[in-house]
Amino acid sequence: MRLIINIGRQIGSGGLIIAKKLAEDFGCKFYDRELLNLAAKESGFSEKFFEQNDEQKGFFKQMFHLHMPFVSDNNFYNNKFSQESLFQFQSDAIRKAAEENEACVFVGRCADYILRDEKNMVSVFITADMDQRIQRMCERHNCDRATARKLINNGEEQRATYYNYYTGKKWGHASSYDLCVNSSILGMEETEKYIAEFIRKKFNMQ
């Protein structure tokens, strides 16, 4: 069966780890930063360019501060470059990845919206208690709690703006997903098992 799993996540929720485990369990190709590589190859832009603008709205204003080496085709840069074009490149890369693989896990990047017409698709949003999220960010970035909270708030504002703008839905809102789950309740390992069981039941998988 062709299976597509889309994972949205709060920063520090453990969503990336859970997504990777789901990919292992279901034998799926895993796509997160890999999409940047794919989009770069398709568009002629360097991966570094996509990294700088990943899941953010408003980066088009910054384009004039970029150096031309980010672009391999100057004519393309002059005539077709736009914020929506960048999103379209990544959307095309996501669709291509979904078409070329029997099963995929996509993390973020509006994949749930881009692949909304796929029959065997499930979209999950993973949250966690703020205290745990702050602690994880402190460990990850070796920073104090105030800095960690700021990183979370700023990062999620960007994610929400990006998602809401391109999908017309609300990032993190239950109505935008098939399942929303708090990883703090069961822990990451059991949360992954819970999501996996949900997926199996949704698609009547043995």
Side-chain angles (χ1 to χ4, degrees), residues 7 25 53 63 72 80 86 102 175-176 197 201-202:
I7 301 294
D25 281 358
N53 301 301
M63 63 171 282
S72 63
K80 299 182 180 178
L86 293 177
E102 187 66 21
S175 63
S176 299
E197 182 62 19
K201 288 184 176 181
K202 175 177 172 61

Side-chain angles (χ1 to χ4, degrees), residues 134-149:
I134 289 175
Q135 184 59 37
R136 288 189 183 120
M137 292 296 285
C138 285
E139 295 171 358
R140 184 183 306 170
H141 297 281
N142 191 27
C143 62
D144 58 30
R145 292 181 63 84
T147 301
R149 183 183 289 273

Side-chain angles (χ1 to χ4, degrees), residues 43 45 49-50 53 56-64 66 71 75-90 162 165-166:
S43 67
F45 285 86
F49 183 85
F50 280 89
N53 301 301
Q56 296 180 34
K57 176 71 173 69
F59 57 77
F60 185 57
K61 296 178 182 178
Q62 303 172 18
M63 63 171 282
F64 296 108
L66 298 173
V71 187
N75 185 60
F76 178 87
Y77 178 86
N78 291 328
N79 297 327
K80 299 182 180 178
F81 184 87
S82 72
Q83 181 174 320
E84 278 64 33
S85 293
L86 293 177
F87 178 75
Q88 189 61 50
F89 291 142
Q90 191 157 271
Y162 180 93
Y165 176 81
Y166 284 113

Side-chain angles (χ1 to χ4, degrees), residues 5-11 13-16 18-19 22 55 105-112 122-127 159 163 171-172 176-177 179-181 195:
I5 302 171
N6 296 306
I7 301 294
R9 74 287 184 216
Q10 287 185 318
I11 294 175
S13 66
L16 187 61
I18 291 171
L22 286 167
E55 292 190 308
V105 171
F106 293 100
V107 178
R109 295 160 183 84
C110 303
D112 59 320
V122 60
S123 295
V124 180
F125 191 83
I126 300 171
T127 68
R159 280 187 186 177
Y163 183 89
W171 182 81
S176 299
Y177 309 90
L179 175 69
C180 295
V181 58
I195 295 171

Side-chain angles (χ1 to χ4, degrees), residues 99-121:
E99 291 173 0
E100 293 180 348
N101 295 279
E102 187 66 21
C104 301
V105 171
F106 293 100
V107 178
R109 295 160 183 84
C110 303
D112 59 320
Y113 175 77
I114 293 165
L115 300 174
R116 61 192 180 278
D117 294 328
E118 292 286 344
K119 182 179 180 181
N120 296 322
M121 183 190 78

